[in-house]
Amino acid sequence: MVKKVVVLDYGSGNLRSAERALARVGADVTVTSDLDAAMAADGLVVPGVGAFAACMAGLRRVRGERAVGRRLAGGRPVLGICVGMQILFARGVEHGVETEGCGEWPGTVERLEAPVLPHMGWNTVKAPAGSVLFDGLDAETRFYFVHSYGVREWELRPGDGFAEPLVTWAEHGVPFVAAAENGPLMATQFHPEKSGDAGAALLQNWLGIL
């Protein structure tokens, strides 16, 4: 059965790249800002590039944060990519300015401490046992990153009333969250749509839960 996926268009993100990558692995993809379509799809993808504050402003303009919240309340899958992952957290801090995020996860998106920024290029990740997204992928598999900011501390704990999320880490100067799997809410800091066969395998794994 073909899965229907909406890539949310809120003025930020590699929309066509995401559309092509999802179509490559067999999804029926629509790029739209329509909330009804976002709610009705089997899966919702929230991409994002650029600044945290600009992405949040764009998301709010199309009421995208409401679509994300309503889907998750009903156990409907959402996948965030790059800044589309970052805005799922409680806050982002850029140039000393703090911006409120969607708050689906506690935590702060902040500038990485590294000799060279942005972190741009291919990097390995450390995925936990039981990961759905990284199932079947070798530990030496590399994914494509482009970012200067990230989440350096995972704050959501099992005692907060949730099953323990599966958190994948990478390192560039400091460790940062490369991906997270928390029930219907999953996200990657890297770009699966730019990660070739490895990214296609990850997206195929995500489609498998829809």
Side-chain angles (χ1 to χ4, degrees), residues 15 18 27 30 62 74 78 80 86 89 106 108 112 131 133 141 146 166-168 180-182 189 191 200 202 206:
L15 302 177
T30 302
V62 301
V78 175
Q86 295 178 3
F89 287 86
T108 301
L112 300 179
S131 168
L133 291 179
T141 301
V146 183
L166 298 176
V167 181
T168 294
E181 303 168 56
N182 184 205
Q189 177 61 67
H191 288 274
L202 183 143
W206 181 68

Side-chain angles (χ1 to χ4, degrees), residues 3 16 24 29 32 35 48 58 62 66 70 76 87 101 117-118 121 126 135 138-139 146 159 163 172 184 193:
K3 304 297 185 180
R16 299 308 165 189
R24 174 187 173 188
V29 191
T32 182
L35 288 194
V62 301
R66 294 177 60 183
R70 287 170 59 194
R76 312 281 310 284
I87 59 179
L117 289 174
K126 295 180 180 178
D135 183 42
D138 187 89
V146 183
H172 181 71
E193 79 280 8

Side-chain angles (χ1 to χ4, degrees), residues 6 8 10 44-48 59 68 78-85 87:
V6 160
L8 188 64
Y10 62 99
L44 176 65
V45 173
V46 182
L59 191 71
V68 169
V78 175
L79 176 67
I81 295 175
C82 196
V83 184
M85 169 180 171
I87 59 179

